[in-house]
């Protein structure tokens, strides 16, 4: 009996050693991060201090309890001739170890209450940003600035996920933590952040700001932040929101107030340029070229880059009744979505050119050769 | 009920063939079926965990697509909670409560049969969803709307499964309460009950109070989906957060439903192998009652980030912190039981000691998470994944292993293979920490839970965790070998089995007769609980 067991153990040992050595030689991943970030806001510093204080209290309690146990295990064993004592209760002891935890908890509760109260003081903000979660992207609305844009997973990460590129995750800078349009915020400014959602519940979380908050459809949560250091802070959606929950990162770019003002002007200009030309005739080639990009950003997560969908979960567009049928139905579903499914209403999200380009692309890509093209003006007319 | 036609008082008369199991009204046979069923489900859920850890071994998508990954996390939780841990607890209750209180059987034997046999149907329904259009449920075991309403054809099956499992558990709970309240042997007063029985009465009341709320909430999901109601749809005047309140009003008591029987098991085993009576029996009972009572006032700590009013956040923070007090009392009492005992370290004792240490680790991270402002960082990260696996795997599951090793000789009449048992313990105890401890670091470093792929800075600890996971999974095969070896044969054991064991179950033969305590025993203070 002992022989096969030793050989089994040896095999197990070899497996562990070989895997461990693999792990040691793996390049570029040497991160081994252990602890919470201190963050870059007054609140995140308080949260970090609370975290460390409670952690150390717990470590001390653990040492006391486990050391007592260990002492007992070493000394009070039968093979050392220990004879069991007869005691089986002690009111004094039991009161003591009820009272000590209460005292510890009070010591923790006082600073925790203070921090919590500070976190809820959302009044007197200088600017307000409304963040809306969508499956699977974020919309940032700079309230009072007439500036709204979407932020989705960066194209280089997307290509790895969709397997349309041969790159490995470690080849990409900030794999899964980069976006096309970061949300730019000024430093040393009290910023009120409203979160809500358009479809399912999401949660907006940037660890460096010190909190996360759910984005709930039909409700608005308010929070605030005050970033003290310029920099780029990354985060992710933290509430399961469907298939691409892992693929809707957040990038906050904190800049000086002056840079922020310049950025506001430039970004508004860029957005205006992107939607100009909606009133002219577009050629098939123009729409196809634009459509491919817009499709990849907005549609490929479900319907896949090759238009084949995921059988049983997300319908294929290749030779589908919608993409090759009556154009009115196609426009309708893209504009208004489909209730009870993950298909969103893109009419509210994209400009006329982008919607026209998507529909044209879907009707003429991957062997779908309907041949018709949808003009931005047609979309405008349906609004 | 043709089987009931012939009644036989002979102690060892056993029905034969498949009918013995299908129509069984015997608490021991039903208990055995519960335990074997939960072992099977433990491996079904474990296989899903292996898929999850394999996918997370490296960044990038290697084996499954994100949708299937979400099905894996969802189904792993449902199968482990409702298929493995709960039925194992009910199985132990069935087997042990009558022989611990000196009763001939459970009070409601036919209902007992039904509460077991609807379980396999429930799980067939649930697992069949893998082959349906739209795949298995992928919205998380918490079934939050509106996401869960995007489930495909599996949706009504998910709801119906929850109803079936709920009915099964409620029938089991009623049976346990009826048994303990009515069928205790003369002299077995409430304050002489073994702690395993005490923890199970309290668990049974939690089940009866919590499960109907859950059943109601999922029924509201069903009507939202098919009958045009808007309970959880803001567009129709409803509130998606209300579902979370209802769910966790069930869900928090549910975690105590999983862990209280484990407390009971450990309270049986520690005194046996310390050869010393349980320290602070009375305070153990009161602490369990206090935990169960408080469990109805802390639910919203699972959802601090939904945006509650400040007063609500403070209330749920303080209420949650107070749970640490009775839980601490229990830990201290176990340590005090070991103190100045005469200890030996057979497999049940090893698993129980590991339970105390590792459950405490889960308790420490629990106290950290009760602090609302810090929980805003921890929430929905791998930190919480580490926390609840410490309390449920090294907590509940380790206690169930301890129970199995402790009572297997009594059930089968054979001693299990102690060498293999110890091998199972040491491999499990080492690898489970390699599996779950690094997940604390991942969560603190910012990795959200329920993601199929991750940024490369999380790669190192994920690889360590996955290796621990594979090794922990393999180690569980040893347990299966031990169990089946023990059922088939082994050294004969005495009635007493363990030198320090106390309680009525050790006065019966090993294995006990098919019908035991047909004449009730007399219980005195001396022969009562451990």
């Amino acid at each position: 009996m002992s022989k096969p067991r030793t050989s089994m153990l040896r095999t197990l040992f070899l497996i562990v050693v070989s895997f461990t050595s693999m792990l040691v030689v793996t390049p570029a991943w040497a991160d081994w991060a252990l602890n919470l970030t201190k963050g870059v806001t007054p609140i995140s510093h308080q949260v970090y201090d609370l975290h460390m204080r409670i952690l150390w209290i717990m470590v001390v309690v653990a040492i006391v309890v486990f050391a007592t146990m260990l002492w007992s295990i070493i000394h009070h064993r039968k093979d050392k001739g220990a004879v069991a004592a007869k005691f089986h209760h002690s009111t004094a002891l039991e009161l003591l170890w009820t009272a000590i935890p209460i005292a510890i908890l009070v010591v923790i509760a006082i600073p925790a209450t203070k921090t919590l109260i500070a976190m809820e003081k959302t009044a007197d903000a200088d600017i307000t940003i409304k963040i809306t979660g969508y499956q699977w992207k974020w919309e940032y609305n700079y309230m009072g600035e007439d500036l709204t844009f979407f932020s989705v997973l960066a194209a280089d990460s997307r290509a790895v996920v969709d397997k349309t590129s041969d790159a490995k995750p470690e080849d990409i800078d900030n794999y899964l933590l980069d976006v096309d349009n970061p949300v730019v915020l000024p430093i040393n400014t009290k910023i009120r952040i409203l979160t809500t959602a358009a479809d399912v519940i999401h949660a907006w979380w940037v660890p460096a700001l010190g909190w996360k908050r759910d984005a709930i459809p039909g409700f608005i949560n308010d929070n605030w932040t005050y970033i003290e250091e310029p920099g780029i802070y990354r985060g992710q959606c933290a509430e399961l929101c469907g298939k691409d929950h892992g693929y809707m990162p957040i990038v906050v770019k904190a800049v000086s107030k002056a840079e922020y003002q310049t950025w506001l002007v430039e970004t508004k200009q860029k957005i205006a340029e992107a939607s100009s030309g909606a009133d002219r005739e577009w050629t098939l080639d123009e729409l196809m070229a634009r459509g491919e990009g817009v499709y990849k950003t907005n549609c490929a997560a479900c319907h896949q880059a090759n238009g084949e969908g995921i059988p049983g979960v997300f319908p294929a567009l290749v030779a589908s009744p919608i993409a090759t049928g009556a154009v009115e139905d196609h426009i309708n579903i893209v504009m208004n979505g489909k209730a009870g499914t993950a298909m969103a209403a893109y009419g509210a999200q994209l400009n006329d050119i982008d919607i026209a380009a998507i529909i044209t692309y879907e009707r003429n890509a991957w062997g779908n050769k309907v041949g018709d093209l949808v003009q931005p003006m047609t979309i405008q007319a349906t609004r | 009920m043709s089987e009931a036609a012939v009644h036989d008082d002979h102690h060892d008369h056993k029905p034969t063939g498949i009918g013995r199991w299908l129509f069984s009204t015997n608490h021991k046979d039903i208990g055995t079926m519960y335990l074997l069923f939960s072992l099977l489900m433990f491996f079904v859920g474990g296989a899903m965990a292996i898929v999850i850890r394999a996918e997370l071994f490296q960044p990038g998508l290697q084996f499954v697509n994100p949708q299937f990954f979400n099905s894996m996390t969802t189904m792993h939780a449902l199968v482990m909670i409702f298929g493995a841990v709960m039925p194992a607890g009910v199985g132990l209750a069935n087997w042990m409560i009558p022989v611990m209180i000196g009763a001939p059987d459970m009070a409601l034997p036919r209902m007992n049969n039904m509460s077991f046999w609807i379980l396999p149907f429930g799980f067939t329904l649930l697992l069949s969803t893998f082959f349906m259009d739209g795949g298995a449920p992928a919205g998380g075991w918490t079934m939050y709307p509106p996401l869960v309403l995007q489930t495909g054809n599996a949706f009504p099956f998910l709801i119906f499964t929850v109803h079936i499992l709920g009915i099964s558990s409620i029938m089991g709970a009623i049976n346990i309460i009826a048994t303990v309240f009515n069928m205790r042997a003369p002299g077995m007063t409430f304050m002489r009950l073994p702690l395993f029985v005490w923890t199970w009465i309290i668990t049974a009341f939690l089940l009866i109070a919590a499960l109907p709320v859950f059943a109601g909430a999922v029924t509201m999901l069903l009507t939202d989906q098919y009958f045009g109601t808007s309970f959880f749809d803001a567009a129709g005047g409803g509130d998606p957060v209300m579902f979370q309140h209802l769910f966790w009003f069930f869900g928090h008591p549910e975690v105590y439903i999983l862990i209280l029987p484990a407390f009971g098991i450990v309270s049986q085993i520690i005194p046996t192998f310390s050869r010393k009576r349980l320290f602070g029996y009375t305070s153990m009972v009161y602490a369990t009652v206090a935990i169960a009572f408080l469990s109805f006032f802390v639910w919203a700590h699972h959802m601090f980030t939904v945006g509650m009013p400040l007063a609500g956040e403070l209330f749920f923070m303080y209420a949650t912190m107070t749970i640490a007090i009775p839980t601490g009392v229990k830990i201290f009492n176990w340590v005090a039981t070991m103190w100045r005992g005469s200890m030996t370290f057979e497999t049940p004792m090893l698993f129980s000691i590991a339970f105390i240490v590792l459950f405490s680790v889960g308790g420490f991270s629990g106290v950290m998470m009760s602090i609302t402002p810090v929980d805003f960082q921890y929430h929905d990260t791998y930190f919480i994944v580490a926390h609840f696996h410490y309390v449920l795997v090294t907590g509940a599951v380790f206690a169930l292993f301890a129970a199995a090793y402790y009572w297997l000789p009594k059930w089968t009449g054979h001693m299990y293979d102690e060498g293999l048992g110890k091998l199972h313990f040491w491999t499990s105890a080492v690898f489970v920490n390699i599996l779950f401890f690094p997940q604390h670091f991942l969560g603190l470093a910012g990795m959200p839970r329920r993601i199929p792929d991750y940024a490369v800075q999380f790669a190192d600890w994920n690889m360590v965790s996955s290796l621990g996971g594979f090794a922990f999974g393999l180690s569980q095969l040893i347990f299966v070998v031990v169990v089946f070896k023990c059922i088939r044969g082994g050294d004969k054991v005495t009635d007493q089995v363990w030198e320090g064991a106390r309680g009525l179950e050790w006065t019966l033969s090993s294995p006990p007769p098919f019908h035991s305590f047909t004449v009730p025993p007399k219980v005195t203070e001396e022969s009562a609980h451990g």
Side-chain angles (χ1 to χ4, degrees), chain B residues 43 79 168 453 469:
Chain B
F43 280 91
V79 168
S168 163
D453 191 1

Side-chain angles (χ1 to χ4, degrees), chain B residues 434-446:
Chain B
I434 298 176
L435 165 58
F436 294 123
F437 208 82
Q439 295 182 1
H440 291 115
F441 306 143
L442 285 171
L444 293 177

Side-chain angles (χ1 to χ4, degrees), chain B residues 27-33 35 90-100 106 410-412 511-513:
Chain B
H27 74 99
K28 300 185 184 78
D29 280 359
I30 292 173
T32 304
M33 288 193 289
L35 290 169
V90 180
L92 289 171
N94 252 296
W95 239 109
M96 300 316 298
I97 287 178
V99 298
M100 282 178 146
M106 296 294 279
K410 175 55 68 184
W411 296 334
T412 62

Side-chain angles (χ1 to χ4, degrees), chain A residues 39-184:
Chain A
V40 290
T41 71
I43 287 290
S44 75
H45 295 153
Q46 284 188 43
V47 166
Y48 176 82
D49 291 342
L50 264 176
H51 160 74
M52 289 314 289
R53 180 194 298 217
I54 305 160
L55 178 66
W56 285 120
I57 292 173
M58 291 300 124
V59 168
V60 171
V61 175
I63 289 172
V64 172
V65 175
F66 297 159
T68 315
M69 252 178 100
L70 192 66
W71 172 273
S72 187
I73 288 170
I74 291 169
H75 295 282
H76 306 147
R77 43 201 307 155
K78 196 188 176 197
D79 56 16
K80 279 204 163 178
V83 179
K86 294 281 178 216
F87 69 88
H88 53 78
H89 74 275
S90 156
T91 312
L93 257 182
E94 287 170 65
L95 282 178
L96 184 73
W97 63 48
T98 309
I100 293 175
I102 292 176
I104 294 174
L105 291 175
V106 171
V107 169
I108 299 173
I110 293 167
T113 305
K114 281 184 190 152
T115 304
L116 192 58
I117 291 171
M119 286 173 115
E120 296 292 337
K121 282 193 178 138
T122 54
D124 307 323
D126 299 316
I127 63 171
T128 301
I129 314 276
K130 189 179 95 183
I131 302 173
T132 310
Y134 289 78
Q135 284 174 318
W136 293 277
K137 60 195 164 202
W138 296 100
E139 181 195 56
Y140 297 100
N141 176 359
Y142 288 68
M143 300 190 82
E145 287 288 350
D146 189 29
L147 173 60
T148 303
F149 59 85
F150 283 91
S151 177
V152 302
L153 180 66
D156 51 359
S157 291
R158 187 85 245 172
V160 174
V161 177
D162 290 345
K163 300 194 162 59
T164 50
S165 130
D166 292 331
K168 295 248 170 290
E170 53 269 33
D171 304 334
I172 311 270
D173 288 334
N174 301 303
Y175 175 65
L176 298 189
L177 290 181
D178 203 8
V179 296
D180 57 350
N181 302 312
V183 53
V184 176

Side-chain angles (χ1 to χ4, degrees), chain B residues 247-487:
Chain B
F247 180 89
W248 288 115
F249 185 81
F250 145 80
H252 197 77
E254 170 68 19
V255 306
Y256 292 109
I257 288 163
L258 300 172
I259 203 67
L260 291 186
F263 288 168
I265 291 162
V266 172
S267 303
Q268 300 298 130
I269 294 174
I270 296 282
T272 295
F273 295 96
S274 305
R275 291 168 183 74
K276 187 160 158 278
R277 299 192 85 152
L278 182 69
F279 185 89
Y281 173 90
T282 319
S283 63
M284 282 302 223
V285 173
Y286 291 150
T288 315
V289 174
I291 292 171
F293 179 75
L294 287 173
S295 78
F296 286 104
F297 302 95
V298 297
W299 75 87
H301 69 216
H302 295 270
M303 38 188 285
F304 276 144
T305 62
V306 298
M308 278 175 281
L310 177 64
E313 288 174 337
L314 286 173
F315 171 80
F316 285 107
M317 173 169 80
Y318 299 146
T320 304
M321 291 170 85
T322 56
I323 286 201
I325 299 161
T327 313
V329 166
K330 297 192 83 84
I331 305 276
F332 300 140
N333 281 356
W334 288 321
V335 175
T337 306
M338 292 165 68
W339 188 256
R340 288 185 56 209
S342 171
M343 280 186 277
T344 51
F345 301 92
E346 289 86 346
T347 311
M349 182 64 162
L350 291 174
F351 270 110
S352 298
I353 292 174
F355 168 93
I356 298 177
V357 174
L358 299 174
F359 177 80
S360 298
V361 172
F364 294 138
S365 56
V367 174
M368 295 172 74
M369 278 183 291
S370 71
I371 309 303
T372 314
V374 202
D375 183 70
F376 290 153
Q377 287 281 40
Y378 304 144
H379 182 79
D380 267 336
T381 69
Y382 261 81
F383 192 75
I384 169 94
V385 175
H387 161 76
F388 65 67
H389 282 99
Y390 264 86
V391 291
L392 290 180
V393 179
T394 59
V397 174
F398 269 31
L400 292 168
F401 284 142
Y405 284 107
Y406 186 53
W407 284 311
L408 257 177
K410 175 55 68 184
W411 296 334
T412 62
H414 306 130
M415 186 47 89
Y416 60 83
D417 185 326
E418 187 66 57
L420 281 183
K422 287 205 165 114
L423 180 69
H424 175 222
F425 169 75
W426 285 110
T427 49
S428 296
V430 170
F431 293 131
V432 84
N433 283 296
I434 298 176
L435 165 58
F436 294 123
F437 208 82
Q439 295 182 1
H440 291 115
F441 306 143
L442 285 171
L444 293 177
M447 179 168 163
R449 65 192 284 208
R450 292 167 163 169
I451 58 174
D453 191 1
Y454 47 80
V456 288
Q457 71 254 38
F458 305 128
D460 304 307
W461 287 123
N462 266 300
M463 190 180 268
V464 173
S465 176
S466 287
L467 289 173
F470 302 147
F472 180 72
L474 280 177
S475 313
Q476 303 322 308
L477 298 174
I478 305 170
F479 180 66
V480 179
V481 174
V482 177
V483 169
F484 286 97
K485 247 184 99 178
C486 184
I487 292 173

